[in-house]
Amino acid sequence: MTTATDTGQRAGAAHDGVGADALRPDGALKVEGAFAYASDLRWEGMVWGATLRSPHPSARIVRLDTARALKLPGVVAVLTHEDVPGHPRYGMKVADQPVLAADRVRYQGEPVALVAADHPETARRALRLIDIEYEELPALTDPEQAVEGAGPVVHEERVDGQDGNVVRHVRIRHGDMEEARRLADVVAEGVYEVGMQDQAFLGPEAGLAIPGEDGGVDVFVSTQWLHDDQHQMCAALGLPPDKVRLTLSGVGGAFGGREDVSVQIHAAMLALHTGRPVKMSYNREESFFGHVHRHPAKMWFEHGATRDGKIVYVKARLLFDGGAYTSTSQVVIANGSYFAAGAYEVPHAEIDGFSVFTNNPPCGAMRGFGAVQSCYGVESNLDNLARKLGIDPLELRLRNAMTTGTVLPTGQAVDGPAPAAELLRRLHARPLPPEPEARVSGAFSLPGGLNNTTHGESVRRGIGYAIGVKAIGFSGGVDDRSIARVRLSLTGGEPVAEIHTAAAECGQGIVTVQAQIARTELGVERVVVLPADTQVGDAGSSSASRITWMSGGAVQGACKAVREKLTALGEGLLADLLAEHGPVEAEYEYKHRRTHPIDAERGQGDAHIAFAFAAHRAVVEVDTELGLVKVVELATAQDVGKAMNPLAVAGQIEGGSAQGLGLAVMEELQVAEGRVRNPSFTDYLIPTIADMPAVPIDLLELPHPDSPYGLNGVGEPPTLSSTPAIANALRDATGLELARVPVRPDDIAGRG
Amino acid sequence: MDFLRPAGWEEALAAKAEHPAAVPIAGGTDLMVEINFDHRRPDHLLDLSRIDELEEWEVGETHVRLGASVPYTRILEQLRTELPGLALASHTVASPQIRNRGSVGGNLGTASPAGDAHPALLAAGAEVEVASVRGTRRIPIDDFYTGVKRNALAPDELIRAVHVKKAAGPQQFSKVGTRNAMVIAVCAFGLALHPDSRTVRTGIGSAAPTPVRAREAEEFLAGALAEGGFWDSGRTIAPSVCTRFAELAAGACDPIDDVRGTAKYRRHAVAVLARRTLGWTWDAYRGRGANGKGTERCA
């Protein structure tokens, strides 16, 4: 085991090879504002696409007339559902979302019509000239009604063949609950809620579609998964894969919000219809309607424990609001349910997870993918249990911490490292930050920050711990593969490795890591990572904390294959061999071990390939009279298996912790009666530098037995434990229940 | 949309007279957002950025004449002594980039109840210098805000400057937001002690349809201070006085529930800010510094 709190270059690492702090190639460009994001795309003769969206959460379209819009000078096309060339609906898992609404809209912001015009403003003005009449229908906006079968049905006819408003019920039964209740001396119950968080990536959705001479289309787009986009586009456009060619454009953050398609099909439709290149680029407000959000959740938790603090059982009911269309709801609720017992040894469990349809904004993937919500619930109720038992919350966690071999509620034994207790111990051993009086006080150091609301009055400190576990990679029987092509050739007499994959660089650093792997495996200095596109095989999604593992594994495999070919060519210097025999190339498909779906009755099955753990200790200071919060320190400990690029790992951990802080104290898309009330960065608040504290990182590198280089997924785990650690610290400071996140000032103060 | 670019002040006034619906633009930090979102599409924009004198200020004997386009960054860096309340308020405006372009003239022109400068101007005491081809007049700040995002300007008038009384005593400004920087006020409170006239002035932001003063609170406090001879003795104010002042400040609010906070919370928070800022300013007046140590009684 090695640990590193610094991110300095390790001894023995190849120059910018695996394990080095290699700098990302786009870093300086991004800082200088010179990096080309998808919104910067330009093409000669291009026109601009715009989307007409429903203002209503639920309505029938009575009349739709595009004549006036078409007459506006500069407008080249107005398209409706009648112009969709192929399948009228799309979706990642279930194709239930209309490409353009035909007669019915199910959420505010649902796309209804498209315009292309020679100027973006002309396109937007033309949207207002589309004559459309709606008949508003009663909207189902309460997920509890949805799960009870009350209220209107969102989908009169479901494409998955099921009925009603429950997308999926995940049922997990483990052990013997009757026996468990007899064994429990103390029971702690709580109901916890999570508001709707948005990915709030800084680069809104954008793409460029260029019609090809072969009747196909070339699409440049910011996305997380080129091949799944291609698959959905082919269906909607009625074209074969060789006619729908995608290339990744500059991605300005993703966090799950670019898993579902946004502009892809629409821009391609307009391009194919007009024969002209079409650019689509959402503004900030449209972006809030242009992608799915994190599922808001209501969760009922009950823990039973013996008097000496051993957890006997957990009973959990999770209700996730999936909004109007499926997106990834059925998988998100599964992931939330898998980990509803937390990072603990829990012999008996009864877990029921529901995701439901409503007429609220559609929800789907966001960093942590359901496990964020259940981690918040279980970690909140664990502090509640600790209070009931009169045991220190940290001690309670240590007494029940999961280890290798722990059997999950789904019946799978945890294999690979499971250092839950070690992470918590390390956090505990870290000295606490100084109290306010002992600190150099600056504008950022107290609750209220720059806003000058306290000079120390009513400031109370609280400390909270939380730990989270989630699966890495695709779970539940998905046949997950990733392909890489590596070519070694001479350029100017020097060996150069070219790497070609479809792995989407969303800011996490996969471009850097692929080059690092090639340097280590091939011993070459010069590596070129080609643009990600669909000319090479599927890499799978940049999600589920999987891309470094999967595409990294594929690149490693391809490099090894190249090396074998070189060996077969005989002895000699690399440059000489390449000069004599020409370039050497290999393609490799990486697969991880098989997983299995859980069964419907008891939710049992070996569904996962790996588990990743992170823990946080939050130190907060609360102005108890105003309810304002300063998170003073957000220390974290995480096992990453192997830090492929320690600098990038630190970036992922800090970023994930920040996103968790946002959910704890400010980030919420407020929805009332199906309508979004704050679709702007004026009122959807994300943490600033005045809100983010130092994030001291304690990195464990316990090699995972099954992965390339022993690495484990890094991106999501910090987002799980950061939120409940802060919530627990706020509870510690205030003595309040604070069942719902984000905790707002008026939850703490001025309550009457 | 026509973009008018007057080279000087007289030319600007002439343009405004000719096009009374023209919307002035200086830093553009507010207006450009509305234009980019197509929420507003005026026929004429009147660009004031070429008029240098709008970015100048003069420190006089009793007042600072602050040009309408002086950016907040200048105020918080260079006018802390003369205009401490406004400097504190300027520091809470948005982000450094916005503070480099945004100005008090813009805040006054928009007249949003959430504008950060308003409570400080109300508390300090100020007059808005406005001009048109018809001439120049000064509008007392107390008469300036006439409704939600409405002010006392005539259609042909432009804001030239604001005359703010130089601080004769301690001033404070506090703003509550759900984030520790770069946030629209949930509510805000400005307080200025005027030992020269033995008066107290206040300003409340984001807790009524317009920025308002808490007049009853001011009168109560001025009365209490005079009655007990506090201005001369510099004694500590009784907690009951602080509490009453805070209650009256909350009573001056007429807040609403919105995405940023509830009416109930706003009223509560204004009371807390009133009590705390009174503690800080009074301690400063007594010469003990506003470090929080001597303020237990009020805070």
Side-chain angles (χ1 to χ4, degrees), chain A residues 340-352:
Chain A
Y344 305 106
E345 180 94 44
V346 181
H348 308 276
E350 181 181 314
I351 298 161
D352 288 280

Side-chain angles (χ1 to χ4, degrees), chain A residues 468-622:
Chain A
V469 59
K470 95 172 276 292
I472 297 303
F474 292 155
S475 296
V478 176
D479 184 18
D480 192 8
R481 294 150 190 261
S482 193
I483 290 166
R485 214 181 275 158
V486 172
R487 183 173 190 267
L488 197 54
S489 63
L490 283 183
T491 301
E494 223 187 305
V496 177
E498 271 181 358
I499 302 171
H500 195 185
T501 71
E505 170 63 60
C506 302
Q508 80 282 55
I510 187 61
V511 167
T512 323
V513 161
Q514 290 180 93
Q516 289 177 267
I517 291 172
R519 286 192 198 100
T520 292
E521 295 297 332
L522 298 173
V524 295
E525 280 283 317
R526 291 178 60 189
V527 181
V528 176
V529 180
L530 297 173
D533 58 31
T534 52
Q535 305 299 309
V536 63
D538 196 351
S541 180
S542 284
S543 61
S545 304
R546 67 179 278 292
I547 201 72
T548 295
W549 182 322
M550 296 300 296
S551 282
V555 170
Q556 184 190 30
C559 287
K560 282 183 172 165
V562 164
R563 238 169 39 205
E564 278 166 25
K565 285 184 180 177
L566 284 168
T567 310
L569 294 176
E571 297 279 307
L573 281 173
L574 180 57
D576 296 342
L577 285 172
L578 291 171
E580 191 185 337
H581 300 280
V584 177
E585 189 171 346
E587 184 172 293
Y588 187 83
E589 182 181 69
Y590 181 85
K591 276 172 72 171
H592 59 63
R593 80 178 183 211
R594 212 173 144 197
T595 65
H596 304 273
I598 57 167
D599 71 79
E601 190 51 37
R602 295 183 63 82
Q604 301 296 295
D606 285 354
H608 311 295
I609 57 163
F611 306 92
F613 296 81
H616 280 85
R617 181 188 71 190
V619 180
V620 304
E621 281 163 14
V622 184

Side-chain angles (χ1 to χ4, degrees), chain A residues 324-369:
Chain A
Y325 292 101
T326 305
S327 180
T328 46
S329 276
Q330 75 285 56
V331 207
V332 171
I333 189 61
N335 209 45
S337 305
Y338 294 147
F339 298 103
Y344 305 106
E345 180 94 44
V346 181
H348 308 276
E350 181 181 314
I351 298 161
D352 288 280
F354 298 89
S355 58
V356 294
F357 286 124
T358 63
N359 294 111
N360 290 322
C363 290
M366 184 175 170
R367 196 177 198 171
F369 207 70

Side-chain angles (χ1 to χ4, degrees), chain A residues 87-362:
Chain A
H87 197 275
R89 290 162 186 270
Y90 72 96
M92 280 198 83
K93 308 277 179 192
V94 177
D96 66 349
Q97 189 151 1
V99 173
L100 292 168
D103 55 347
R104 178 87 165 80
V105 288
R106 294 181 179 83
Y107 73 97
Q108 182 200 21
E110 179 160 356
V112 176
L114 304 170
V115 166
D118 58 7
H119 192 277
E121 246 186 61
T122 310
R124 282 204 295 270
R125 288 177 169 239
L127 295 179
R128 266 177 258 152
L129 296 175
I130 296 173
D131 292 302
I132 182 160
E133 207 177 299
Y134 296 98
E135 177 198 335
E136 276 197 73
L137 299 171
L140 177 69
T141 57
D142 177 1
E144 294 193 54
Q145 270 199 347
V147 80
E148 284 158 12
V153 174
V154 177
H155 295 271
E156 296 80 2
E157 208 171 312
R158 281 174 55 172
V159 299
D160 62 0
Q162 298 188 56
D163 293 321
N165 288 325
V166 175
V167 177
R168 183 173 178 187
H169 172 197
V170 176
R171 191 182 136 93
I172 297 171
R173 297 291 182 272
H174 181 65
D176 178 349
M177 285 296 280
E178 263 180 58
E179 170 68 10
R181 285 184 198 282
R182 272 196 297 276
L183 294 171
D185 302 314
V186 175
V187 172
E189 289 175 273
V191 184
Y192 304 96
E193 285 184 63
V194 176
M196 185 185 288
Q197 189 179 23
D198 189 81
Q199 297 83 355
F201 40 68
L202 295 186
E205 292 81 350
L208 172 70
I210 302 165
E213 283 173 9
D214 63 345
V217 63
D218 290 278
V219 180
F220 298 82
V221 70
S222 57
T223 181
Q224 292 178 240
W225 190 355
L226 289 164
H227 284 79
D228 201 74
D229 287 3
Q230 183 191 36
H231 175 74
Q232 294 179 64
M233 290 176 74
C234 286
L237 298 172
L239 289 173
D242 64 319
K243 296 226 164 131
V244 180
R245 300 168 290 262
L246 277 79
T247 303
L248 187 70
S249 179
V251 179
F255 314 112
R258 294 190 211 270
E259 272 197 29
D260 293 84
V261 304
S262 57
V263 302
Q264 287 89 324
I265 299 170
H266 293 163
M269 274 174 63
L270 287 168
L272 290 167
H273 186 90
T274 61
R276 298 178 68 173
V278 174
K279 164 87 172 279
M280 292 190 84
S281 190
Y282 296 169
N283 66 18
R284 179 58 56 196
E285 182 174 338
E286 186 171 20
S287 178
F288 277 105
F289 295 98
H291 60 258
V292 298
H293 317 286
R294 191 190 293 292
H295 289 72
K298 187 165 183 181
M299 301 172 289
W300 293 259
F301 272 88
E302 180 185 322
H303 277 96
T306 59
R307 204 160 283 112
D308 60 351
K310 283 297 284 181
I311 297 173
V312 182
Y313 74 87
V314 64
K315 182 178 184 325
R317 181 171 182 268
L318 317 177
L319 176 55
F320 287 14
D321 184 354
Y325 292 101
T326 305
S327 180
T328 46
S329 276
Q330 75 285 56
V331 207
V332 171
I333 189 61
N335 209 45
S337 305
Y338 294 147
F339 298 103
Y344 305 106
E345 180 94 44
V346 181
H348 308 276
E350 181 181 314
I351 298 161
D352 288 280
F354 298 89
S355 58
V356 294
F357 286 124
T358 63
N359 294 111
N360 290 322

Side-chain angles (χ1 to χ4, degrees), chain A residues 121 124-125 128 283-285 437 446-455 457-458 623 625-630 665-666 670 677-678 681-683 685-688 690-691 744-746 749-752, chain B residues 33 35-39 41 88 91-92 94 99 172-184 257-262 264-265 268-270 272-273 275-277 280 290-293 295 299:
Chain A
E121 246 186 61
R124 282 204 295 270
R125 288 177 169 239
R128 266 177 258 152
N283 66 18
R284 179 58 56 196
E285 182 174 338
E437 305 85 69
L446 286 169
L450 277 179
N451 301 322
N452 186 39
T453 45
T454 179
H455 295 171
E457 300 90 343
S458 304
D623 180 339
E625 269 192 300
L626 289 174
L628 302 179
V629 173
K630 173 69 192 178
V665 295
M666 63 183 81
Q670 297 183 43
R677 300 174 74 207
N678 55 338
F681 276 170
T682 306
D683 285 311
L685 301 180
I686 55 177
T688 69
D691 303 284
R744 298 172 58 90
D746 48 19
R751 304 180 313 149
Chain B
V33 177
I35 289 176
N36 284 337
F37 279 98
D38 216 4
H39 291 162
R41 189 53 47 126
L88 281 168
H91 210 166
T92 75
R99 292 198 286 269
Q172 276 292 342
F173 174 87
S174 294
K175 162 171 146 182
V176 168
T178 310
R179 180 159 75 182
N180 287 332
M182 210 164 90
V183 67
I184 309 264
D257 290 335
D258 64 17
V259 288
R260 294 173 193 148
T262 61
K264 192 171 166 190
Y265 174 79
H268 163 83
V270 164
V272 174
L273 297 182
R275 180 158 45 80
R276 288 186 184 169
T277 52
W280 302 336
N291 63 0
K293 293 284 185 273
T295 61

